[in-house]
């Protein structure tokens, strides 16, 4: 969806629009919880809002990676890794005997993530002279005006 949306809406709008569909695509979990009556309606709703929020943020991140690198393998590997690891268990970390060390490690990971986000996604590393979004900056004839 992203390569079709970038020429029509621009890279920034595409990065923040596509993840909304990515978040909605995960609503099947809510249907399962409702169908099998696993929790209260308000609990299921809060769970759905939380899951939609973090999948939308993750979708924006993978869209960013795709536009910066021009390759699909980066977002696919990130999605696979995140599915394997799951969401960080912060409540468990709070109960850990070495919680300061664990929470410091979480914080260090977040800081390093933001520090290296742009350098590690530099288009020059991936055989692109410029990011993919600048190659498609002129409006396409396929876009509805």
């Amino acid at each position: 969806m992203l390569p079709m949306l970038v020429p029509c809406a621009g890279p920034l709008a595409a990065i923040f629009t596509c993840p909304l569909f990515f978040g909605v695509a995960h609503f099947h979990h809510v249907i399962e919880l409702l169908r099998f009556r696993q929790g209260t309606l308000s609990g299921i709703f809060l769970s759905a809002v939380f899951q939609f929020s973090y999948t939308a943020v993750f979708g924006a991140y993978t869209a960013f990676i795709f536009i910066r690198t021009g390759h699909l393998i980066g977002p696919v590997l990130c999605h696979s890794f995140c599915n394997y690891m799951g969401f960080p268990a912060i409540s468990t970390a709070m109960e850990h005997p070495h919680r300061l060390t664990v929470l410091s490690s979480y914080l260090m990971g977040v800081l390093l993530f933001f520090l290296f986000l742009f350098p590690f996604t530099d288009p020059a590393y991936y055989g692109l002279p410029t990011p993919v979004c600048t190659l498609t900056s002129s409006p396409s004839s396929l876009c509805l005006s």
Side-chain angles (χ1 to χ4, degrees), residues 15-72:
I15 285 175
F16 290 105
T17 302
C18 284
L20 300 177
F21 293 102
F22 184 71
V24 169
H26 288 80
F27 269 120
H28 65 89
H29 298 293
V30 174
I31 295 168
E32 291 171 6
L33 293 173
L34 288 171
R35 187 171 165 204
F36 296 111
R37 304 190 194 291
Q38 295 179 338
T40 64
L41 191 58
S42 62
I44 292 171
F45 176 74
L46 286 174
S47 172
V49 168
F50 178 71
Q51 185 170 18
F52 175 79
S53 299
Y54 79 78
T55 54
V57 169
F58 179 75
Y61 169 63
T62 55
F64 172 82
I65 289 174
F66 179 73
I67 285 178
R68 289 275 295 174
T69 66
H71 295 281
L72 189 59

Short mmCIF file of all heavy atoms in Angstrom, two decimals, residues 15-72:
data_model
loop_
_atom_site.label_atom_id
_atom_site.label_comp_id
_atom_site.label_asym_id
_atom_site.label_seq_id
_atom_site.Cartn_x
_atom_site.Cartn_y
_atom_site.Cartn_z
N ILE A 15 3.37 7.69 5.54
CA ILE A 15 3.94 7.05 6.73
C ILE A 15 2.94 7.03 7.87
O ILE A 15 2.92 6.11 8.68
CB ILE A 15 5.26 7.74 7.14
CG1 ILE A 15 6.38 7.33 6.19
CG2 ILE A 15 5.65 7.40 8.57
CD1 ILE A 15 7.68 8.05 6.42
N PHE A 16 2.08 8.05 7.96
CA PHE A 16 1.13 8.10 9.06
C PHE A 16 -0.28 7.60 8.70
O PHE A 16 -1.10 7.42 9.60
CB PHE A 16 1.08 9.51 9.65
CG PHE A 16 2.33 9.86 10.38
CD1 PHE A 16 3.26 10.72 9.83
CD2 PHE A 16 2.62 9.29 11.61
CE1 PHE A 16 4.44 11.02 10.49
CE2 PHE A 16 3.79 9.57 12.28
CZ PHE A 16 4.70 10.44 11.72
N THR A 17 -0.54 7.35 7.42
CA THR A 17 -1.84 6.81 7.01
C THR A 17 -1.83 5.29 6.95
O THR A 17 -2.73 4.63 7.46
CB THR A 17 -2.25 7.38 5.64
OG1 THR A 17 -2.29 8.80 5.73
CG2 THR A 17 -3.62 6.87 5.22
N CYS A 18 -0.81 4.72 6.35
CA CYS A 18 -0.72 3.26 6.23
C CYS A 18 -0.81 2.53 7.57
O CYS A 18 -1.48 1.51 7.67
CB CYS A 18 0.56 2.87 5.49
SG CYS A 18 0.46 3.14 3.73
N PRO A 19 -0.17 3.03 8.61
CA PRO A 19 -0.24 2.33 9.89
C PRO A 19 -1.65 2.24 10.48
O PRO A 19 -1.92 1.34 11.27
CB PRO A 19 0.67 3.16 10.81
CG PRO A 19 1.60 3.82 9.90
CD PRO A 19 0.83 4.09 8.65
N LEU A 20 -2.51 3.15 10.10
CA LEU A 20 -3.89 3.07 10.59
C LEU A 20 -4.54 1.79 10.06
O LEU A 20 -5.25 1.10 10.78
CB LEU A 20 -4.68 4.30 10.17
CG LEU A 20 -4.13 5.63 10.70
CD1 LEU A 20 -4.95 6.80 10.16
CD2 LEU A 20 -4.10 5.64 12.21
N PHE A 21 -4.28 1.47 8.80
CA PHE A 21 -4.80 0.22 8.24
C PHE A 21 -4.11 -0.98 8.87
O PHE A 21 -4.72 -2.02 9.10
CB PHE A 21 -4.61 0.20 6.72
CG PHE A 21 -5.43 1.23 6.02
CD1 PHE A 21 -4.87 2.41 5.57
CD2 PHE A 21 -6.79 1.02 5.82
CE1 PHE A 21 -5.63 3.37 4.93
CE2 PHE A 21 -7.57 1.97 5.18
CZ PHE A 21 -7.00 3.15 4.73
N PHE A 22 -2.83 -0.84 9.16
CA PHE A 22 -2.08 -1.90 9.83
C PHE A 22 -2.68 -2.18 11.22
O PHE A 22 -2.84 -3.33 11.62
CB PHE A 22 -0.61 -1.48 9.94
CG PHE A 22 0.31 -2.51 10.53
CD1 PHE A 22 0.64 -3.65 9.82
CD2 PHE A 22 0.86 -2.34 11.79
CE1 PHE A 22 1.50 -4.60 10.35
CE2 PHE A 22 1.71 -3.28 12.32
CZ PHE A 22 2.03 -4.41 11.60
N GLY A 23 -3.02 -1.13 11.93
CA GLY A 23 -3.64 -1.28 13.26
C GLY A 23 -5.00 -1.94 13.17
O GLY A 23 -5.33 -2.83 13.96
N VAL A 24 -5.81 -1.52 12.19
CA VAL A 24 -7.14 -2.11 12.02
C VAL A 24 -7.03 -3.59 11.64
O VAL A 24 -7.86 -4.41 12.04
CB VAL A 24 -7.95 -1.32 10.97
CG1 VAL A 24 -9.22 -2.05 10.56
CG2 VAL A 24 -8.29 0.06 11.50
N ALA A 25 -5.99 -3.94 10.90
CA ALA A 25 -5.80 -5.34 10.49
C ALA A 25 -5.60 -6.27 11.68
O ALA A 25 -5.77 -7.48 11.56
CB ALA A 25 -4.61 -5.45 9.54
N HIS A 26 -5.26 -5.71 12.84
CA HIS A 26 -5.06 -6.53 14.04
C HIS A 26 -6.31 -6.63 14.91
O HIS A 26 -6.25 -7.17 16.00
CB HIS A 26 -3.87 -5.99 14.84
CG HIS A 26 -2.55 -6.26 14.19
ND1 HIS A 26 -2.07 -5.50 13.17
CD2 HIS A 26 -1.63 -7.23 14.41
CE1 HIS A 26 -0.90 -5.98 12.79
NE2 HIS A 26 -0.61 -7.03 13.53
N PHE A 27 -7.43 -6.12 14.43
CA PHE A 27 -8.66 -6.17 15.22
C PHE A 27 -9.26 -7.57 15.29
O PHE A 27 -10.19 -7.80 16.06
CB PHE A 27 -9.71 -5.19 14.68
CG PHE A 27 -9.65 -3.85 15.32
CD1 PHE A 27 -9.40 -2.72 14.56
CD2 PHE A 27 -9.82 -3.70 16.69
CE1 PHE A 27 -9.32 -1.47 15.15
CE2 PHE A 27 -9.74 -2.46 17.29
CZ PHE A 27 -9.49 -1.35 16.51
N HIS A 28 -8.73 -8.51 14.53
CA HIS A 28 -9.25 -9.87 14.62
C HIS A 28 -9.05 -10.44 16.02
O HIS A 28 -9.81 -11.30 16.46
CB HIS A 28 -8.62 -10.78 13.55
CG HIS A 28 -7.15 -10.99 13.73
ND1 HIS A 28 -6.65 -12.01 14.50
CD2 HIS A 28 -6.09 -10.31 13.25
CE1 HIS A 28 -5.33 -11.95 14.49
NE2 HIS A 28 -4.96 -10.93 13.72
N HIS A 29 -8.07 -9.92 16.74
CA HIS A 29 -7.86 -10.36 18.12
C HIS A 29 -9.05 -9.97 19.00
O HIS A 29 -9.46 -10.71 19.88
CB HIS A 29 -6.58 -9.75 18.70
CG HIS A 29 -5.34 -10.18 17.97
ND1 HIS A 29 -4.87 -11.47 18.00
CD2 HIS A 29 -4.47 -9.47 17.20
CE1 HIS A 29 -3.76 -11.55 17.28
NE2 HIS A 29 -3.51 -10.35 16.77
N VAL A 30 -9.62 -8.81 18.75
CA VAL A 30 -10.78 -8.34 19.51
C VAL A 30 -11.98 -9.24 19.22
O VAL A 30 -12.72 -9.62 20.14
CB VAL A 30 -11.11 -6.87 19.14
CG1 VAL A 30 -12.40 -6.43 19.79
CG2 VAL A 30 -9.97 -5.97 19.54
N ILE A 31 -12.15 -9.60 17.97
CA ILE A 31 -13.27 -10.47 17.58
C ILE A 31 -13.14 -11.82 18.28
O ILE A 31 -14.14 -12.36 18.77
CB ILE A 31 -13.32 -10.62 16.05
CG1 ILE A 31 -13.64 -9.26 15.42
CG2 ILE A 31 -14.33 -11.67 15.63
CD1 ILE A 31 -13.45 -9.20 13.93
N GLU A 32 -11.91 -12.33 18.36
CA GLU A 32 -11.70 -13.61 19.06
C GLU A 32 -12.05 -13.50 20.53
O GLU A 32 -12.70 -14.38 21.10
CB GLU A 32 -10.24 -14.05 18.91
CG GLU A 32 -9.86 -14.46 17.52
CD GLU A 32 -8.37 -14.67 17.36
OE1 GLU A 32 -7.63 -14.61 18.37
OE2 GLU A 32 -7.94 -14.89 16.22
N LEU A 33 -11.62 -12.40 21.17
CA LEU A 33 -11.92 -12.21 22.59
C LEU A 33 -13.42 -12.09 22.83
O LEU A 33 -13.96 -12.64 23.78
CB LEU A 33 -11.20 -10.97 23.13
CG LEU A 33 -9.68 -11.04 23.19
CD1 LEU A 33 -9.09 -9.69 23.58
CD2 LEU A 33 -9.22 -12.11 24.16
N LEU A 34 -14.10 -11.37 21.96
CA LEU A 34 -15.55 -11.23 22.10
C LEU A 34 -16.27 -12.55 21.83
O LEU A 34 -17.19 -12.93 22.54
CB LEU A 34 -16.07 -10.15 21.13
CG LEU A 34 -15.73 -8.72 21.48
CD1 LEU A 34 -16.11 -7.79 20.34
CD2 LEU A 34 -16.41 -8.29 22.78
N ARG A 35 -15.82 -13.23 20.81
CA ARG A 35 -16.46 -14.50 20.41
C ARG A 35 -16.35 -15.56 21.50
O ARG A 35 -17.30 -16.30 21.75
CB ARG A 35 -15.81 -14.99 19.13
CG ARG A 35 -16.47 -16.18 18.52
CD ARG A 35 -15.88 -16.44 17.16
NE ARG A 35 -16.25 -17.75 16.72
CZ ARG A 35 -15.59 -18.46 15.84
NH1 ARG A 35 -14.52 -17.95 15.28
NH2 ARG A 35 -15.99 -19.65 15.50
N PHE A 36 -15.21 -15.64 22.13
CA PHE A 36 -15.00 -16.66 23.15
C PHE A 36 -15.21 -16.11 24.56
O PHE A 36 -14.86 -16.76 25.54
CB PHE A 36 -13.60 -17.28 23.01
CG PHE A 36 -13.42 -18.01 21.71
CD1 PHE A 36 -12.56 -17.52 20.74
CD2 PHE A 36 -14.14 -19.17 21.45
CE1 PHE A 36 -12.39 -18.19 19.54
CE2 PHE A 36 -13.98 -19.84 20.25
CZ PHE A 36 -13.11 -19.35 19.29
N ARG A 37 -15.74 -14.89 24.66
CA ARG A 37 -16.08 -14.25 25.93
C ARG A 37 -14.91 -14.29 26.92
O ARG A 37 -15.06 -14.70 28.06
CB ARG A 37 -17.32 -14.87 26.52
CG ARG A 37 -18.51 -14.81 25.58
CD ARG A 37 -19.79 -15.20 26.26
NE ARG A 37 -20.87 -15.47 25.35
CZ ARG A 37 -21.50 -14.60 24.58
NH1 ARG A 37 -21.13 -13.36 24.59
NH2 ARG A 37 -22.48 -14.96 23.78
N GLN A 38 -13.76 -13.83 26.45
CA GLN A 38 -12.56 -13.83 27.28
C GLN A 38 -12.31 -12.42 27.82
O GLN A 38 -11.46 -11.69 27.34
CB GLN A 38 -11.36 -14.31 26.47
CG GLN A 38 -11.48 -15.74 26.03
CD GLN A 38 -10.29 -16.18 25.20
OE1 GLN A 38 -9.59 -15.37 24.63
NE2 GLN A 38 -10.08 -17.47 25.14
N GLY A 39 -13.07 -12.05 28.83
CA GLY A 39 -12.90 -10.75 29.45
C GLY A 39 -14.17 -9.93 29.38
O GLY A 39 -15.14 -10.29 28.71
N THR A 40 -14.14 -8.82 30.09
CA THR A 40 -15.29 -7.93 30.09
C THR A 40 -15.25 -7.07 28.82
O THR A 40 -14.20 -6.92 28.19
CB THR A 40 -15.26 -7.00 31.32
OG1 THR A 40 -14.10 -6.16 31.22
CG2 THR A 40 -15.22 -7.79 32.62
N LEU A 41 -16.37 -6.50 28.48
CA LEU A 41 -16.45 -5.67 27.29
C LEU A 41 -15.52 -4.46 27.40
O LEU A 41 -14.81 -4.12 26.45
CB LEU A 41 -17.90 -5.21 27.07
CG LEU A 41 -18.20 -4.54 25.74
CD1 LEU A 41 -17.86 -5.47 24.59
CD2 LEU A 41 -19.66 -4.14 25.68
N SER A 42 -15.48 -3.83 28.57
CA SER A 42 -14.60 -2.67 28.74
C SER A 42 -13.13 -3.09 28.70
O SER A 42 -12.29 -2.37 28.14
CB SER A 42 -14.91 -1.94 30.05
OG SER A 42 -14.68 -2.78 31.15
N GLY A 43 -12.81 -4.23 29.27
CA GLY A 43 -11.43 -4.73 29.23
C GLY A 43 -10.99 -5.05 27.81
O GLY A 43 -9.86 -4.74 27.41
N ILE A 44 -11.88 -5.66 27.04
CA ILE A 44 -11.58 -5.98 25.65
C ILE A 44 -11.40 -4.69 24.85
O ILE A 44 -10.50 -4.57 24.02
CB ILE A 44 -12.67 -6.88 25.05
CG1 ILE A 44 -12.64 -8.26 25.72
CG2 ILE A 44 -12.52 -7.01 23.55
CD1 ILE A 44 -13.80 -9.17 25.36
N PHE A 45 -12.26 -3.69 25.11
CA PHE A 45 -12.16 -2.41 24.41
C PHE A 45 -10.83 -1.73 24.72
O PHE A 45 -10.15 -1.24 23.82
CB PHE A 45 -13.34 -1.51 24.78
CG PHE A 45 -13.26 -0.15 24.17
CD1 PHE A 45 -13.52 0.04 22.82
CD2 PHE A 45 -12.88 0.95 24.93
CE1 PHE A 45 -13.43 1.29 22.24
CE2 PHE A 45 -12.78 2.21 24.36
CZ PHE A 45 -13.06 2.39 23.01
N LEU A 46 -10.44 -1.69 26.00
CA LEU A 46 -9.16 -1.07 26.36
C LEU A 46 -7.98 -1.81 25.74
O LEU A 46 -7.02 -1.20 25.28
CB LEU A 46 -9.01 -1.03 27.88
CG LEU A 46 -9.85 0.01 28.59
CD1 LEU A 46 -9.72 -0.14 30.11
CD2 LEU A 46 -9.45 1.41 28.18
N SER A 47 -8.08 -3.12 25.70
CA SER A 47 -7.05 -3.93 25.08
C SER A 47 -6.95 -3.61 23.58
O SER A 47 -5.85 -3.49 23.03
CB SER A 47 -7.36 -5.41 25.28
OG SER A 47 -6.48 -6.21 24.54
N ALA A 48 -8.11 -3.42 22.94
CA ALA A 48 -8.13 -3.11 21.51
C ALA A 48 -7.52 -1.74 21.24
O ALA A 48 -6.75 -1.57 20.28
CB ALA A 48 -9.56 -3.16 20.99
N VAL A 49 -7.84 -0.76 22.06
CA VAL A 49 -7.29 0.58 21.89
C VAL A 49 -5.77 0.55 22.07
O VAL A 49 -5.02 1.15 21.28
CB VAL A 49 -7.95 1.59 22.86
CG1 VAL A 49 -7.19 2.90 22.90
CG2 VAL A 49 -9.40 1.81 22.50
N PHE A 50 -5.31 -0.16 23.09
CA PHE A 50 -3.87 -0.27 23.34
C PHE A 50 -3.18 -0.96 22.17
O PHE A 50 -2.17 -0.47 21.67
CB PHE A 50 -3.62 -1.04 24.64
CG PHE A 50 -2.17 -1.24 24.94
CD1 PHE A 50 -1.39 -0.17 25.34
CD2 PHE A 50 -1.59 -2.49 24.83
CE1 PHE A 50 -0.04 -0.34 25.62
CE2 PHE A 50 -0.26 -2.68 25.11
CZ PHE A 50 0.53 -1.60 25.50
N GLN A 51 -3.74 -2.08 21.71
CA GLN A 51 -3.11 -2.81 20.63
C GLN A 51 -3.12 -2.00 19.34
O GLN A 51 -2.14 -1.97 18.60
CB GLN A 51 -3.79 -4.16 20.41
CG GLN A 51 -3.06 -4.99 19.36
CD GLN A 51 -3.56 -6.40 19.29
OE1 GLN A 51 -4.63 -6.72 19.76
NE2 GLN A 51 -2.76 -7.25 18.69
N PHE A 52 -4.23 -1.31 19.06
CA PHE A 52 -4.29 -0.46 17.87
C PHE A 52 -3.22 0.62 17.95
O PHE A 52 -2.55 0.91 16.96
CB PHE A 52 -5.68 0.17 17.72
CG PHE A 52 -5.76 1.14 16.58
CD1 PHE A 52 -5.91 0.69 15.28
CD2 PHE A 52 -5.66 2.50 16.80
CE1 PHE A 52 -5.97 1.58 14.22
CE2 PHE A 52 -5.71 3.40 15.75
CZ PHE A 52 -5.87 2.93 14.46
N SER A 53 -3.05 1.21 19.12
CA SER A 53 -2.08 2.29 19.28
C SER A 53 -0.66 1.82 19.00
O SER A 53 0.07 2.44 18.22
CB SER A 53 -2.16 2.87 20.69
OG SER A 53 -3.42 3.40 20.93
N TYR A 54 -0.27 0.71 19.62
CA TYR A 54 1.13 0.31 19.42
C TYR A 54 1.36 -0.32 18.05
O TYR A 54 2.45 -0.20 17.50
CB TYR A 54 1.69 -0.53 20.57
CG TYR A 54 1.35 -1.98 20.65
CD1 TYR A 54 1.98 -2.91 19.84
CD2 TYR A 54 0.42 -2.45 21.56
CE1 TYR A 54 1.68 -4.26 19.94
CE2 TYR A 54 0.12 -3.78 21.67
CZ TYR A 54 0.75 -4.69 20.85
OH TYR A 54 0.46 -6.02 20.95
N THR A 55 0.34 -0.94 17.45
CA THR A 55 0.54 -1.45 16.09
C THR A 55 0.59 -0.30 15.08
O THR A 55 1.31 -0.38 14.09
CB THR A 55 -0.53 -2.48 15.68
OG1 THR A 55 -1.83 -1.93 15.87
CG2 THR A 55 -0.39 -3.77 16.44
N ALA A 56 -0.14 0.77 15.33
CA ALA A 56 -0.08 1.93 14.45
C ALA A 56 1.29 2.60 14.54
O ALA A 56 1.88 2.98 13.52
CB ALA A 56 -1.19 2.92 14.76
N VAL A 57 1.82 2.74 15.75
CA VAL A 57 3.17 3.31 15.91
C VAL A 57 4.21 2.41 15.24
O VAL A 57 5.10 2.88 14.53
CB VAL A 57 3.50 3.53 17.41
CG1 VAL A 57 4.97 3.87 17.61
CG2 VAL A 57 2.61 4.63 17.98
N PHE A 58 4.07 1.11 15.44
CA PHE A 58 5.01 0.17 14.81
C PHE A 58 4.87 0.23 13.29
O PHE A 58 5.87 0.16 12.57
CB PHE A 58 4.77 -1.25 15.32
CG PHE A 58 5.69 -2.25 14.69
CD1 PHE A 58 7.02 -2.31 15.06
CD2 PHE A 58 5.23 -3.11 13.72
CE1 PHE A 58 7.88 -3.21 14.46
CE2 PHE A 58 6.07 -4.02 13.11
CZ PHE A 58 7.41 -4.07 13.49
N GLY A 59 3.64 0.36 12.80
CA GLY A 59 3.42 0.48 11.36
C GLY A 59 4.09 1.71 10.78
O GLY A 59 4.64 1.68 9.67
N ALA A 60 4.06 2.82 11.51
CA ALA A 60 4.74 4.04 11.06
C ALA A 60 6.25 3.81 11.01
O ALA A 60 6.93 4.26 10.07
CB ALA A 60 4.40 5.20 11.99
N TYR A 61 6.76 3.08 11.99
CA TYR A 61 8.20 2.78 12.02
C TYR A 61 8.60 1.92 10.82
O TYR A 61 9.59 2.22 10.14
CB TYR A 61 8.56 2.09 13.33
CG TYR A 61 9.95 1.52 13.36
CD1 TYR A 61 11.06 2.33 13.26
CD2 TYR A 61 10.15 0.15 13.50
CE1 TYR A 61 12.34 1.82 13.28
CE2 TYR A 61 11.42 -0.38 13.52
CZ TYR A 61 12.51 0.45 13.41
OH TYR A 61 13.77 -0.07 13.42
N THR A 62 7.84 0.88 10.53
CA THR A 62 8.20 0.01 9.40
C THR A 62 7.99 0.73 8.07
O THR A 62 8.75 0.49 7.13
CB THR A 62 7.41 -1.31 9.44
OG1 THR A 62 6.02 -1.04 9.48
CG2 THR A 62 7.82 -2.17 10.61
N ALA A 63 7.01 1.63 7.98
CA ALA A 63 6.84 2.43 6.77
C ALA A 63 8.05 3.34 6.57
O ALA A 63 8.56 3.50 5.46
CB ALA A 63 5.55 3.25 6.85
N PHE A 64 8.51 3.93 7.66
CA PHE A 64 9.71 4.77 7.63
C PHE A 64 10.90 3.97 7.13
O PHE A 64 11.66 4.44 6.28
CB PHE A 64 9.96 5.33 9.03
CG PHE A 64 11.26 6.06 9.18
CD1 PHE A 64 11.37 7.38 8.79
CD2 PHE A 64 12.36 5.42 9.72
CE1 PHE A 64 12.57 8.06 8.93
CE2 PHE A 64 13.57 6.09 9.86
CZ PHE A 64 13.68 7.41 9.46
N ILE A 65 11.07 2.76 7.67
CA ILE A 65 12.20 1.92 7.24
C ILE A 65 12.10 1.60 5.76
O ILE A 65 13.10 1.67 5.03
CB ILE A 65 12.24 0.60 8.06
CG1 ILE A 65 12.66 0.88 9.49
CG2 ILE A 65 13.20 -0.40 7.43
CD1 ILE A 65 12.58 -0.33 10.38
N PHE A 66 10.90 1.27 5.30
CA PHE A 66 10.74 0.94 3.88
C PHE A 66 11.07 2.14 3.00
O PHE A 66 11.77 2.01 1.99
CB PHE A 66 9.31 0.46 3.62
CG PHE A 66 9.07 0.14 2.17
CD1 PHE A 66 9.62 -1.00 1.60
CD2 PHE A 66 8.31 0.98 1.38
CE1 PHE A 66 9.41 -1.30 0.26
CE2 PHE A 66 8.09 0.69 0.05
CZ PHE A 66 8.64 -0.45 -0.52
N ILE A 67 10.59 3.31 3.36
CA ILE A 67 10.85 4.49 2.54
C ILE A 67 12.33 4.86 2.58
O ILE A 67 12.92 5.22 1.56
CB ILE A 67 9.97 5.67 2.98
CG1 ILE A 67 8.54 5.43 2.49
CG2 ILE A 67 10.50 7.00 2.46
CD1 ILE A 67 7.55 6.49 2.90
N ARG A 68 12.96 4.76 3.73
CA ARG A 68 14.38 5.15 3.84
C ARG A 68 15.31 4.16 3.13
O ARG A 68 16.29 4.57 2.52
CB ARG A 68 14.79 5.24 5.31
CG ARG A 68 14.22 6.40 6.05
CD ARG A 68 15.00 7.66 5.91
NE ARG A 68 16.33 7.54 6.51
CZ ARG A 68 17.26 8.47 6.42
NH1 ARG A 68 17.01 9.57 5.77
NH2 ARG A 68 18.42 8.31 6.99
N THR A 69 15.02 2.85 3.24
CA THR A 69 15.94 1.85 2.68
C THR A 69 15.56 1.43 1.27
O THR A 69 16.42 0.97 0.52
CB THR A 69 15.99 0.59 3.56
OG1 THR A 69 14.73 -0.05 3.54
CG2 THR A 69 16.41 0.95 4.98
N GLY A 70 14.28 1.54 0.92
CA GLY A 70 13.83 1.11 -0.39
C GLY A 70 13.71 -0.40 -0.52
O GLY A 70 13.51 -0.93 -1.61
N HIS A 71 13.83 -1.12 0.59
CA HIS A 71 13.77 -2.58 0.58
C HIS A 71 12.67 -3.07 1.52
O HIS A 71 12.47 -2.49 2.59
CB HIS A 71 15.11 -3.18 1.02
CG HIS A 71 16.23 -2.88 0.08
ND1 HIS A 71 16.42 -3.57 -1.09
CD2 HIS A 71 17.22 -1.95 0.15
CE1 HIS A 71 17.48 -3.08 -1.72
NE2 HIS A 71 17.97 -2.09 -0.98
N LEU A 72 12.04 -4.16 1.16
CA LEU A 72 10.98 -4.74 1.98
C LEU A 72 11.53 -5.61 3.10
O LEU A 72 10.87 -5.81 4.11
CB LEU A 72 10.04 -5.56 1.08
CG LEU A 72 8.76 -6.07 1.70
CD1 LEU A 72 7.92 -4.91 2.21
CD2 LEU A 72 7.97 -6.88 0.68
#
